[in-house]
Amino acid sequence: MRPGLDFLIEAKELRRSYGSLRAVDGVNLQVAPGEIYGLVGADGAGKTTCMRLLCGAILPDRDTGGMKATIRIAGYDLASQTEQARAHIGYLPQDVHETASGALLQAVLNAVPGRAELERALHLLERSLTAQSDTAQ
């Protein structure tokens, strides 16, 4: 991460359509160092599409109505500085632990400031997966 950055992830005006279906419509987000951030919503709400946009697996829709999508990871523009940005991304797709009640977003940037924060995030993830498993039975 570049020194002096306020956000590890910064996204503006994310949009992605599949035919006539608008999966993501104008999403803006900022995630600061040390924050734990989750996307929560019903099936089909656009969580996975957002994650795929943020890691560069798919591209946002082209400029629509003068609003161009931008994604910065650790200060690097994902569109023009792809390799530098991707060096700061770790992504575990949701199908690893998918449940019928919804999906838990999992994204860890390797710029997590300390081990304690990472251990807390993993603990919360484990508790959530256990609770979802118990509820499904």
Side-chain angles (χ1 to χ4, degrees), residues 84-125:
Q84 294 96 324
R86 284 188 177 164
H88 294 274
I89 298 172
Y91 174 59
L92 179 64
Q94 72 181 23
D95 57 0
V96 172
H97 283 288
E98 188 169 290
T99 66
S101 64
L104 177 61
L105 167 70
Q106 302 171 26
V108 177
L109 294 176
N110 56 6
V112 172
R115 184 162 178 81
E117 289 87 353
L118 181 56
E119 287 177 1
R120 183 174 187 282
L122 292 173
H123 174 72
L124 292 172
L125 174 60

Side-chain angles (χ1 to χ4, degrees), residues 58-80:
I58 59 174
L59 298 173
D61 290 346
R62 292 187 180 198
D63 183 11
T64 56
M67 294 185 242
K68 182 179 179 192
T70 59
I71 301 169
R72 299 186 71 75
I73 306 292
Y76 297 102
D77 181 77
L78 188 58
S80 63

